[in-house]
Amino acid sequence: MKNVEYSMVGITDDLGEVPEAENNADYVEFQLDKAQDPLDQLQEYNLDVPLIISNRPKWAGGTAVDSNRLDKLLAAASSEVVEMVDVELETITEHEWAEAELRENDVELIVSYHDFERTPDKLELEQAITDCAEYGDIARVATFAEKREDSLTLLECLNTASQRGTRVVGFSLGELGQHTRVIAVFYGSELCYAPIKLDSDESEYGEIELAELAELLETTVHGGDHVQLIDQLSGKF
């Protein structure tokens, strides 16, 4: 089997949690919208784990208000500890000027598409990935799985995109899609996201805590027959 390469991303709104993730995380996504004094936290951050920053509005699962959201994102992107910025597809298409300004900080762009209610059909999801890749270095998609076939649609789209050379990240939301957080790496997803600490009220979309996801991925990727392991994981979740 071809070597599977991926990077782990721990998610937090408190950079004080990063020491707990250093053994498992290649990156940390710092959620500016949920953080207290995020710019101060960035200024004080001195650990080796590089940061991805996001500043999600409410319609993309965050808490930021639109009035100064991009200004805060641009200010944070200028920090030398930030290597990537994650911005929503809708945001970057509405404010195309932000792409150039973000890139002035020598960061990579992850452009994200979210659907918290459904999984679009294959053609629509493939177009979303194409649109994300037009603006970003990495296209990221997360869609809700209402039925098992929805996860298959997502995985097929990841595979198609990665086979044509698009850098892509994706997983299905919800209980029925939880196993995709583990197996999507076999279909080209290059980043695996997990909260450093999982609160009980954050588990509705199938999140797996970072330490557990890292262990599951290590077992799945390096532990033997991945088809058999995928079957086991599907049963577990």
Side-chain angles (χ1 to χ4, degrees):
M1 183 180 66
K2 179 181 177 181
N3 289 337
V4 175
E5 297 182 359
Y6 61 91
S7 296
M8 296 293 302
V9 181
I11 306 170
T12 188
D13 58 16
D14 180 2
L15 294 180
E17 293 180 352
V18 176
E20 301 177 42
E22 286 184 297
N23 291 334
N24 294 314
D26 301 292
Y27 300 92
V28 163
E29 179 182 337
F30 182 39
Q31 299 175 314
L32 304 178
D33 54 290
K34 298 178 180 180
Q36 291 188 355
D37 303 316
L39 297 182
D40 290 341
Q41 288 196 50
L42 284 172
Q43 187 173 5
E44 296 170 5
Y45 184 75
N46 60 0
L47 300 178
D48 292 333
V49 184
L51 300 182
I52 303 168
I53 57 170
S54 60
N55 197 24
R56 302 275 190 231
K58 293 180 179 179
W59 50 263
T63 62
V65 295
D66 282 330
S67 59
N68 64 346
R69 185 169 65 88
L70 282 178
D71 291 338
K72 182 177 288 187
L73 190 66
L74 286 163
S78 66
S79 171
E80 63 181 13
V81 298
V82 173
E83 289 198 4
M84 299 186 193
V85 176
D86 189 319
V87 62
E88 307 77 31
L89 176 62
E90 296 90 337
T91 298
I92 206 72
T93 53
E94 184 177 350
H95 307 282
E96 293 191 10
W97 55 267
E99 178 188 358
E101 292 203 19
L102 286 167
R103 290 192 183 281
E104 287 179 1
N105 296 291
D106 195 27
V107 295
E108 287 193 304
L109 290 187
I110 302 171
V111 176
S112 297
Y113 170 87
H114 308 88
D115 194 321
F116 296 99
E117 297 181 354
R118 69 184 184 108
T119 296
D121 63 36
K122 187 176 180 181
L123 287 177
E124 185 178 347
L125 190 53
E126 286 181 339
Q127 186 61 55
I129 292 174
T130 297
D131 292 343
C132 288
E134 179 182 349
Y135 292 96
D137 302 290
I138 301 174
R140 180 176 182 262
V141 291
T143 61
F144 189 81
E146 299 177 279
K147 53 187 182 297
R148 293 187 183 278
E149 291 81 2
D150 289 340
S151 293
L152 294 176
T153 297
L154 179 97
L155 294 173
E156 287 180 33
C157 290
L158 293 179
N159 187 64
T160 298
S162 64
Q163 289 294 315
R164 67 169 182 255
T166 298
R167 297 177 65 192
V168 68
V169 176
F171 49 86
S172 292
L173 303 167
E175 182 179 356
L176 290 177
Q178 191 177 44
H179 63 289
T180 65
R181 295 173 183 270
V182 182
I183 67 171
V185 296
F186 292 104
Y187 301 87
S189 186
E190 65 176 74
L191 298 176
C192 303
Y193 288 80
I196 296 174
K197 292 182 179 180
L198 180 60
D199 295 331
S200 58
D201 60 352
E202 294 179 342
S203 59
E204 63 176 313
Y205 290 119
E207 292 90 338
I208 304 171
E209 196 166 80
L210 178 65
E212 181 181 1
L213 183 59
E215 183 177 352
L216 286 168
L217 279 158
E218 178 66 21
T219 300
T220 305
V221 173
H222 302 293
D225 183 351
H226 75 282
V227 175
Q228 179 181 349
L229 286 163
I230 288 169
D231 289 339
Q232 293 173 355
L233 288 164
S234 297
K236 173 179 172 61
F237 297 137

